[in-house]
């Protein structure tokens, strides 16, 4: 069981009544995951509805090196709605990108909670609608922009320190999955940005870039 206060502190429940949060808090089971630990596999039966309390979860689909990120969830994000309520198995694999803690609600637990506080059903429906909207936006982005354009936008969105250095915060393989391509293409595009003098690669496994004046 998780405390009402902790659940109420999440952005997901910021505007919900105490009745709603309490109905869920009494029925949730906490689960912890180490970095790179698989939380659920594509094709596996759903365990329940996950709400992220701490950390980051990457949901990926594909095989071998040809994987892409379907969506990423941080604190207050949710996972598992599609197989839990739509039937079938998980359509993608969930991986903890860092030490991650979630609260998990089984379907029977959610049904009891909804019976006590019907507004919970609308919270889940809103999350499903948001998931569809984000997936459509991601599809539009990947069909309209080249890998290089997506890479530049990704770098521009990362925070910089006082020396204008950007930490990618992930391996090139993970970056490729985020951009919807393969590692070899990311390496090639990164070399092209270096050749143009737009960035200077300064790191190894978790690449660190020095951003030039043109980027």
């Amino acid at each position: 069981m998780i405390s009402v206060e902790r659940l109420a502190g999440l952005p997901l429940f910021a505007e919900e009544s105490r009745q709603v949060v309490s109905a869920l808090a009494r029925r949730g089971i906490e689960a912890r995951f180490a970095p790179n630990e698989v939380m659920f596999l594509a094709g596996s039966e759903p365990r329940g509805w996950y709400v992220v309390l701490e950390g980051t979860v990457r949901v990926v689909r594909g095989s071998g090196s040809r994987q892409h990120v379907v969506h990423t969830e941080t604190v207050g994000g949710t996972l598992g709605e599609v197989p839990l309520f739509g039937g079938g198995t998980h359509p993608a694999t969930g991986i903890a990108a860092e030490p991650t803690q979630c609260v998990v609600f089984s379907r029977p637990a959610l049904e009891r909670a909804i019976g006590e506080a019907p507004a919970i059903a609308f919270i889940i429906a809103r999350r499903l609608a948001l998931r569809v909207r984000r997936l459509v936006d991601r599809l539009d982005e990947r069909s309209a922009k080249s890998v290089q354009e997506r890479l530049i936008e990704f770098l521009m969105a990362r925070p910089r320190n006082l020396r204008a250095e950007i930490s990618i915060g992930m391996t090139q393989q993970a970056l490729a999955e985020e951009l919807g391509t393969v590692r070899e293409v990311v390496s090639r595009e990164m070399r092209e940005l270096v050749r143009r003098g737009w960035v200077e690669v300064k790191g190894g496994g978790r690449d660190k870039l020095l951003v030039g004046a043109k980027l």
Side-chain angles (χ1 to χ4, degrees), residues 76-145:
T78 64
L79 307 130
E81 299 95 340
V82 172
L84 194 64
F85 298 103
T89 58
H90 281 286
T93 297
I95 304 170
E98 58 185 338
T100 297
Q101 183 180 5
C102 296
V103 56
V104 185
F105 304 93
S106 67
R107 177 156 181 161
L110 278 175
E111 289 174 349
R112 291 193 294 271
I114 289 170
E116 183 179 328
I120 294 169
F122 289 94
I123 296 173
I124 296 169
R126 285 197 299 270
R127 290 299 303 179
L128 282 166
L130 180 61
R131 177 92 68 247
V132 171
R133 182 179 296 124
R134 287 177 174 172
L135 287 173
V136 170
D137 289 344
R138 186 176 284 264
L139 285 172
D140 285 345
E141 176 189 88
R142 290 183 177 176
S143 61
K145 298 177 181 177

Side-chain angles (χ1 to χ4, degrees), residues 17 27-28 48 61 67 85 147-148 179 181 183 186:
S17 69
R27 297 174 171 91
R61 183 176 172 85
Q67 292 194 120
F85 298 103
V147 174
Q148 185 176 105
L179 298 178
T181 185
R183 186 180 185 280
V186 169

Side-chain angles (χ1 to χ4, degrees), residues 6 32 51-57 74-76 98-102:
R6 186 165 190 200
R32 295 179 181 273
V51 177
V52 182
L53 300 174
E54 297 176 9
T56 303
V57 181
T74 56
V75 176
E98 58 185 338
T100 297
Q101 183 180 5
C102 296

